[in-house]
Amino acid sequence: MPAEPFGTTADGRSVSRHTLSRGSLRVAVIEYGAAVTAIEVPDRAGHPANVVLGLGTLAGYETVSPSFGAIVGRYANRIAGGRFSLDGHGYRLPVNEAPNTLHGGPENFGRRLWRAELSDAARLVLVRRSPDGEEGFPGNLDVRVTYSLPEDGVLRVDYAAVTDRPTILNLTNHSYFNLAGEGTGSVLDHLVQVEADAFAPTDATQIPTGALLPVAGTPFDFRTPRALEARIRAGDPQLTYAKGYDHTFALRGAAGTLRPAASCVDPGSGRRLDVWTTQPALQLYSGNNLDGRLIGPSGRIYRSGDGVCFETQGFPDAPNQPGFPSAVLRPGETFAAATEFRFSVV
């Protein structure tokens, strides 16, 4: 399907929406934030529905979107105190979740206009240059994100980036899933499994302590499928800090290899999502900060727990955490990662 207009930014730039289609899967992506605005898949009876949260207008994505479907960066997740050091140089970043920097700052990649380099029925390539100093980060960074539908039921996201100065990088797609259908209410009955034996506990500001703790015996044990609601109200300080799940899991297997990361099933509709990735970690977020002030394309409000994110990524605050895998990208290197969202029914 050819691109169609999706409005004009506040500073007068046109934005297009691209729709990819293969078999029963349809995916809509806008150039603003490289954001996925809809993923349409059938339930066990064959009835299609959009299974990601979003907003009905470009103005909503510009002003109030909590990164719905967006590619966030230059550094997804949190950086402590809005500062880091690299090769003996200190860098200051804008603080947008006091006292920390979240997703690269208030004008992160999810708030930028990307350029469509290629668009056809089953593939969309979006690119942008993040200039040296943007949101405080060093180096001109050229980023390419490819959305593709390699087969029916599979949405693949490929990331690639190069820099002309040493910098730090952490990219993810920030889609909020509701497998019962956008706007249908809580996802806390969804059954979730995460392929991880350890998670990263945080302090009260949600910055990792640097430890990786076993999930066994904690509310973070998703080694077998469990409903999100089963232990989300357990009296664990970690759940108090985040108002639910908003934690990093260290995925099993070697980073750089495409392997299972998580799965999610909506018992009512029978829709199933399997997440595969080459990334080392996954942030499980239960939509805790949705507070009823946003209205989706369905015309229904979004409240806490109405969407769940499976953010495949590197580790948060890695530049300040020597025990975590490095997030440094240097000239001559290419950052490359891939994630697949595989939809089916049970």
Side-chain angles (χ1 to χ4, degrees), residues 200-214:
T202 74
D203 65 16
T205 73
Q206 295 185 261
I207 291 295
T209 64
L212 290 176
L213 298 183

Side-chain angles (χ1 to χ4, degrees), residues 208-256:
T209 64
L212 290 176
L213 298 183
V215 299
T218 77
F220 301 91
D221 189 351
F222 288 94
R223 293 175 297 175
T224 57
R226 293 181 181 271
L228 281 169
E229 65 189 355
R231 291 170 296 186
I232 199 169
R233 291 180 176 82
D236 188 303
Q238 289 294 308
L239 296 173
T240 301
Y241 296 155
K243 298 181 288 186
Y245 292 107
D246 190 6
H247 292 81
T248 301
F249 290 76
L251 295 173
R252 300 186 191 114

